[in-house]
Amino acid sequence: MAVTEPAPAVPAEPHAPPTPTTAPNEAGETPGIPQEGARREERGEGSGGGEGSEGGAGARSAPSGRTVRGTGYESILRRQSLRESAARTYARSLPIVPVRARGLTIEGADGRRYLDCLSGAGTLALGHNHPVVLEAIKKVLDSGAPLHVLDLATPVKDAFTSELFATLPGELADDARVQFCGPAGTDAVEAALKLVRTATGRDGLLAFTGAYHGMTAGALAASGGAPDVRVTRLPYPHAYRCPFGTGGERGAELSARWTESLLDDPKSGVTTPAGMIVEAVQGEGGVIPAPDDWMRRMRRITADRAIPLVVDEVQTGVGRTGAFWAVEHSGVVPDVMVLSKAIGGSLPLAVVVYRSSLDAWEPGAHAGTFRGNQLAMAAGTATLAYVRENKLAERAGTLGARILGQLQGLAAAHPCVGDVRGRGLMIGIELVAPDAAGPGDTAPPAAPALALAVQQECLARGLIVELGGRHSAVVRLLPPLTLTDEQATAVLDRFADALAAAERARVPRPSPSRRAPAPVPAPGPSH
């Protein structure tokens, strides 16, 4: 749970709106945010027509005629746990109720402030409520323009497409088509897979261990945990947990050779596929950057065999990794790019960009009611332009390298930190059980319980982080690209303190059952 005292003040965001003047009171509450009703409800003091009682001043009627009691954050969290499905995720490990946010900072209904290094799972390239995003949204609202237009042409869409194409690798942008999809990355993945199957007339797919491409059926089939037999799993290079036990350049070379062997061996059981889908940095897989040489090798392997290369840039795009698109680190130009998250400037938007030679679809071959999200396109245009004009990708690369270096220094003093890795402001810290040896010369086993404890200790210190990786043992940092040096220091300080606290809590303490037995007195003389 969060700390009792509000978190220390955070340096103001550059170009951010002024800080709200309302401050938490001595009870840690912010005036104007109703909380007492929930506390009275917890104490059972709602009777007698008071706040929180049936029909009292603190009650409000639900549409069904029933009364909803308690508007404080505890009541909101309790109702969420009762009403929402068991599939909810972030709400379980982050029991907060955000009511205001700007830049890096979230303020909860409890009056406490948090540094948000989750950023909507990488969606918020500029952080929360950046002025250029708010102004773009407001401009569309004030113009009277239609907000829902299916796939009709509009000035807003035209501006977005023009800005998007200006950021793409030149070779692709010069010969590209764009498909606006349903407003989630997983639908764009589905569209990309459908596209290459239509264009090639083939059905199979190459994907990689550790991949994550979304939660719909086709996207899940291409992700690491799915058993779909139409998808051939290839080993993704992983320096720390190499599937071949070698790591480094040798591990990447073996991965490439394995891929070539499967495709060229007539008895491998793998026919020429419709396409290969890959992430330049695996996010949910544990923040694993693909080696640049390996990415170039995958491009050659697919090009030589007329296999379309699909790169999933849903989380890595818009400057996150230190280049505008993660494939730019290797110089690879894919046949298809899947884009979502940050391209909508915090609002839902997803597209597929691909070479015109693949455009074999019939009208309506892929559609979606909400593929014309005008507000998201306006917010996305503003975000893409701001990142490009202010060189935030380069800034992410420089600051990310500095943060990685500091985390690697921290790892030297904490044996439970097995590996620190990432690219730009997409960073992962893998936690391990250092005293438990892995098989052979492999890394120690992952420590998911410790990672969860670190996440909770971070939250107690006003820092929001995500967990990922094969065993949910990787602490992930995805701060906004507007992160300042001062804010980066605050994030690292809180993380280091949380890591130390979680380690201390895991030190085993003597229990009565483990104490040395009391000495047994020598037997006395027989009677």
mmCIF file of all heavy atoms in Angstrom, residues 214-240:
data_model
loop_
_atom_site.group_PDB
_atom_site.id
_atom_site.type_symbol
_atom_site.label_atom_id
_atom_site.label_comp_id
_atom_site.label_asym_id
_atom_site.label_seq_id
_atom_site.Cartn_x
_atom_site.Cartn_y
_atom_site.Cartn_z
ATOM 1 N N GLY A 214 -0.162 -9.010 -28.780
ATOM 2 C CA GLY A 214 -1.533 -8.606 -28.516
ATOM 3 C C GLY A 214 -2.361 -9.733 -27.940
ATOM 4 O O GLY A 214 -1.873 -10.848 -27.712
ATOM 5 N N MET A 215 -3.651 -9.447 -27.725
ATOM 6 C CA MET A 215 -4.521 -10.376 -27.002
ATOM 7 C C MET A 215 -5.647 -10.954 -27.842
ATOM 8 O O MET A 215 -6.445 -11.723 -27.326
ATOM 9 C CB MET A 215 -5.119 -9.672 -25.780
ATOM 10 C CG MET A 215 -4.093 -9.278 -24.724
ATOM 11 S SD MET A 215 -3.177 -10.676 -24.046
ATOM 12 C CE MET A 215 -4.477 -11.523 -23.140
ATOM 13 N N THR A 216 -5.762 -10.588 -29.109
ATOM 14 C CA THR A 216 -6.762 -11.237 -29.963
ATOM 15 C C THR A 216 -6.185 -12.540 -30.504
ATOM 16 O O THR A 216 -4.986 -12.798 -30.396
ATOM 17 C CB THR A 216 -7.181 -10.304 -31.106
ATOM 18 O OG1 THR A 216 -6.006 -9.794 -31.747
ATOM 19 C CG2 THR A 216 -8.009 -9.133 -30.567
ATOM 20 N N ALA A 217 -7.019 -13.363 -31.113
ATOM 21 C CA ALA A 217 -6.628 -14.742 -31.424
ATOM 22 C C ALA A 217 -5.385 -14.839 -32.297
ATOM 23 O O ALA A 217 -4.445 -15.565 -31.983
ATOM 24 C CB ALA A 217 -7.795 -15.468 -32.088
ATOM 25 N N GLY A 218 -5.360 -14.090 -33.405
ATOM 26 C CA GLY A 218 -4.220 -14.171 -34.298
ATOM 27 C C GLY A 218 -2.954 -13.613 -33.681
ATOM 28 O O GLY A 218 -1.865 -14.157 -33.855
ATOM 29 N N ALA A 219 -3.086 -12.490 -32.948
ATOM 30 C CA ALA A 219 -1.925 -11.883 -32.297
ATOM 31 C C ALA A 219 -1.377 -12.787 -31.205
ATOM 32 O O ALA A 219 -0.159 -12.941 -31.047
ATOM 33 C CB ALA A 219 -2.301 -10.520 -31.728
ATOM 34 N N LEU A 220 -2.279 -13.414 -30.446
ATOM 35 C CA LEU A 220 -1.835 -14.359 -29.421
ATOM 36 C C LEU A 220 -1.134 -15.562 -30.041
ATOM 37 O O LEU A 220 -0.160 -16.090 -29.492
ATOM 38 C CB LEU A 220 -3.026 -14.832 -28.592
ATOM 39 C CG LEU A 220 -3.439 -13.965 -27.411
ATOM 40 C CD1 LEU A 220 -4.699 -14.525 -26.771
ATOM 41 C CD2 LEU A 220 -2.328 -13.871 -26.377
ATOM 42 N N ALA A 221 -1.628 -16.009 -31.185
ATOM 43 C CA ALA A 221 -1.016 -17.155 -31.851
ATOM 44 C C ALA A 221 0.426 -16.879 -32.235
ATOM 45 O O ALA A 221 1.255 -17.791 -32.290
ATOM 46 C CB ALA A 221 -1.822 -17.528 -33.086
ATOM 47 N N ALA A 222 0.755 -15.599 -32.478
ATOM 48 C CA ALA A 222 2.122 -15.230 -32.841
ATOM 49 C C ALA A 222 2.967 -14.870 -31.627
ATOM 50 O O ALA A 222 4.153 -14.590 -31.771
ATOM 51 C CB ALA A 222 2.091 -14.048 -33.805
ATOM 52 N N SER A 223 2.370 -14.865 -30.442
ATOM 53 C CA SER A 223 3.095 -14.507 -29.224
ATOM 54 C C SER A 223 3.749 -15.737 -28.617
ATOM 55 O O SER A 223 3.442 -16.879 -28.978
ATOM 56 C CB SER A 223 2.143 -13.848 -28.222
ATOM 57 O OG SER A 223 1.609 -12.647 -28.767
ATOM 58 N N GLY A 224 4.638 -15.512 -27.675
ATOM 59 C CA GLY A 224 5.484 -16.577 -27.187
ATOM 60 C C GLY A 224 4.785 -17.700 -26.456
ATOM 61 O O GLY A 224 5.249 -18.830 -26.463
ATOM 62 N N GLY A 225 3.656 -17.423 -25.831
ATOM 63 C CA GLY A 225 3.034 -18.454 -25.021
ATOM 64 C C GLY A 225 1.961 -19.269 -25.698
ATOM 65 O O GLY A 225 1.311 -20.083 -25.055
ATOM 66 N N ALA A 226 1.747 -19.063 -27.002
ATOM 67 C CA ALA A 226 0.633 -19.727 -27.682
ATOM 68 C C ALA A 226 1.075 -21.011 -28.368
ATOM 69 O O ALA A 226 2.207 -21.128 -28.827
ATOM 70 C CB ALA A 226 0.018 -18.783 -28.710
ATOM 71 N N PRO A 227 0.172 -22.001 -28.465
ATOM 72 C CA PRO A 227 0.529 -23.289 -29.070
ATOM 73 C C PRO A 227 0.070 -23.455 -30.515
ATOM 74 O O PRO A 227 0.088 -24.568 -31.033
ATOM 75 C CB PRO A 227 -0.226 -24.276 -28.172
ATOM 76 C CG PRO A 227 -1.473 -23.539 -27.811
ATOM 77 C CD PRO A 227 -1.091 -22.084 -27.729
ATOM 78 N N ASP A 228 -0.355 -22.373 -31.188
ATOM 79 C CA ASP A 228 -0.905 -22.491 -32.537
ATOM 80 C C ASP A 228 0.114 -23.148 -33.473
ATOM 81 O O ASP A 228 1.224 -22.642 -33.655
ATOM 82 C CB ASP A 228 -1.270 -21.094 -33.062
ATOM 83 C CG ASP A 228 -2.124 -21.151 -34.315
ATOM 84 O OD1 ASP A 228 -1.816 -21.971 -35.194
ATOM 85 O OD2 ASP A 228 -3.084 -20.385 -34.407
ATOM 86 N N VAL A 229 -0.261 -24.245 -34.064
ATOM 87 C CA VAL A 229 0.687 -25.012 -34.885
ATOM 88 C C VAL A 229 0.978 -24.336 -36.217
ATOM 89 O O VAL A 229 1.924 -24.717 -36.908
ATOM 90 C CB VAL A 229 0.167 -26.444 -35.135
ATOM 91 C CG1 VAL A 229 0.063 -27.209 -33.847
ATOM 92 C CG2 VAL A 229 -1.190 -26.420 -35.843
ATOM 93 N N ARG A 230 0.191 -23.351 -36.621
ATOM 94 C CA ARG A 230 0.478 -22.664 -37.871
ATOM 95 C C ARG A 230 1.652 -21.698 -37.723
ATOM 96 O O ARG A 230 2.158 -21.178 -38.702
ATOM 97 C CB ARG A 230 -0.748 -21.877 -38.338
ATOM 98 C CG ARG A 230 -1.922 -22.754 -38.749
ATOM 99 C CD ARG A 230 -2.977 -21.921 -39.443
ATOM 100 N NE ARG A 230 -3.404 -20.806 -38.622
ATOM 101 C CZ ARG A 230 -4.082 -19.741 -39.085
ATOM 102 N NH1 ARG A 230 -4.372 -19.666 -40.367
ATOM 103 N NH2 ARG A 230 -4.457 -18.775 -38.280
ATOM 104 N N VAL A 231 2.062 -21.447 -36.500
ATOM 105 C CA VAL A 231 3.134 -20.495 -36.245
ATOM 106 C C VAL A 231 4.389 -21.249 -35.833
ATOM 107 O O VAL A 231 4.382 -22.020 -34.873
ATOM 108 C CB VAL A 231 2.735 -19.497 -35.139
ATOM 109 C CG1 VAL A 231 3.885 -18.539 -34.844
ATOM 110 C CG2 VAL A 231 1.484 -18.723 -35.560
ATOM 111 N N THR A 232 5.465 -21.035 -36.562
ATOM 112 C CA THR A 232 6.745 -21.666 -36.239
ATOM 113 C C THR A 232 7.526 -20.764 -35.300
ATOM 114 O O THR A 232 7.753 -19.584 -35.605
ATOM 115 C CB THR A 232 7.567 -21.910 -37.505
ATOM 116 O OG1 THR A 232 6.825 -22.780 -38.374
ATOM 117 C CG2 THR A 232 8.908 -22.532 -37.184
ATOM 118 N N ARG A 233 7.916 -21.308 -34.140
ATOM 119 C CA ARG A 233 8.658 -20.530 -33.146
ATOM 120 C C ARG A 233 10.152 -20.574 -33.448
ATOM 121 O O ARG A 233 10.740 -21.646 -33.593
ATOM 122 C CB ARG A 233 8.424 -21.084 -31.741
ATOM 123 C CG ARG A 233 6.975 -21.060 -31.301
ATOM 124 C CD ARG A 233 6.542 -19.636 -30.921
ATOM 125 N NE ARG A 233 5.180 -19.659 -30.409
ATOM 126 C CZ ARG A 233 4.103 -19.487 -31.149
ATOM 127 N NH1 ARG A 233 4.221 -19.326 -32.433
ATOM 128 N NH2 ARG A 233 2.900 -19.494 -30.621
ATOM 129 N N LEU A 234 10.764 -19.410 -33.521
ATOM 130 C CA LEU A 234 12.199 -19.289 -33.733
ATOM 131 C C LEU A 234 12.850 -18.730 -32.477
ATOM 132 O O LEU A 234 12.231 -17.951 -31.737
ATOM 133 C CB LEU A 234 12.476 -18.350 -34.914
ATOM 134 C CG LEU A 234 11.872 -18.762 -36.264
ATOM 135 C CD1 LEU A 234 12.074 -17.663 -37.285
ATOM 136 C CD2 LEU A 234 12.496 -20.072 -36.733
ATOM 137 N N PRO A 235 14.103 -19.093 -32.200
ATOM 138 C CA PRO A 235 14.771 -18.601 -30.989
ATOM 139 C C PRO A 235 15.178 -17.138 -31.126
ATOM 140 O O PRO A 235 15.871 -16.765 -32.082
ATOM 141 C CB PRO A 235 15.996 -19.511 -30.858
ATOM 142 C CG PRO A 235 16.264 -19.991 -32.249
ATOM 143 C CD PRO A 235 14.935 -20.077 -32.936
ATOM 144 N N TYR A 236 14.735 -16.311 -30.201
ATOM 145 C CA TYR A 236 15.104 -14.894 -30.184
ATOM 146 C C TYR A 236 16.418 -14.758 -29.420
ATOM 147 O O TYR A 236 16.580 -15.340 -28.337
ATOM 148 C CB TYR A 236 14.001 -14.089 -29.488
ATOM 149 C CG TYR A 236 14.088 -12.592 -29.631
ATOM 150 C CD1 TYR A 236 13.471 -11.948 -30.701
ATOM 151 C CD2 TYR A 236 14.765 -11.813 -28.696
ATOM 152 C CE1 TYR A 236 13.520 -10.557 -30.830
ATOM 153 C CE2 TYR A 236 14.819 -10.427 -28.811
ATOM 154 C CZ TYR A 236 14.200 -9.804 -29.883
ATOM 155 O OH TYR A 236 14.255 -8.439 -30.013
ATOM 156 N N PRO A 237 17.391 -14.025 -29.926
ATOM 157 C CA PRO A 237 18.674 -13.911 -29.224
ATOM 158 C C PRO A 237 18.518 -13.223 -27.866
ATOM 159 O O PRO A 237 17.837 -12.209 -27.748
ATOM 160 C CB PRO A 237 19.534 -13.072 -30.175
ATOM 161 C CG PRO A 237 18.566 -12.362 -31.057
ATOM 162 C CD PRO A 237 17.367 -13.243 -31.182
ATOM 163 N N HIS A 238 19.134 -13.803 -26.851
ATOM 164 C CA HIS A 238 18.980 -13.334 -25.476
ATOM 165 C C HIS A 238 20.332 -13.516 -24.798
ATOM 166 O O HIS A 238 20.719 -14.630 -24.435
ATOM 167 C CB HIS A 238 17.894 -14.166 -24.787
ATOM 168 C CG HIS A 238 17.418 -13.614 -23.476
ATOM 169 N ND1 HIS A 238 18.202 -12.845 -22.639
ATOM 170 C CD2 HIS A 238 16.228 -13.744 -22.835
ATOM 171 C CE1 HIS A 238 17.511 -12.520 -21.555
ATOM 172 N NE2 HIS A 238 16.314 -13.049 -21.661
ATOM 173 N N ALA A 239 21.062 -12.425 -24.638
ATOM 174 C CA ALA A 239 22.422 -12.521 -24.120
ATOM 175 C C ALA A 239 22.465 -13.113 -22.720
ATOM 176 O O ALA A 239 23.361 -13.891 -22.387
ATOM 177 C CB ALA A 239 23.084 -11.141 -24.130
ATOM 178 N N TYR A 240 21.477 -12.762 -21.868
ATOM 179 C CA TYR A 240 21.516 -13.201 -20.476
ATOM 180 C C TYR A 240 20.995 -14.628 -20.305
ATOM 181 O O TYR A 240 21.521 -15.405 -19.517
ATOM 182 C CB TYR A 240 20.706 -12.236 -19.612
ATOM 183 C CG TYR A 240 20.817 -12.499 -18.126
ATOM 184 C CD1 TYR A 240 22.044 -12.411 -17.477
ATOM 185 C CD2 TYR A 240 19.696 -12.831 -17.369
ATOM 186 C CE1 TYR A 240 22.159 -12.648 -16.112
ATOM 187 C CE2 TYR A 240 19.798 -13.057 -16.004
ATOM 188 C CZ TYR A 240 21.032 -12.968 -15.381
ATOM 189 O OH TYR A 240 21.135 -13.201 -14.035
#
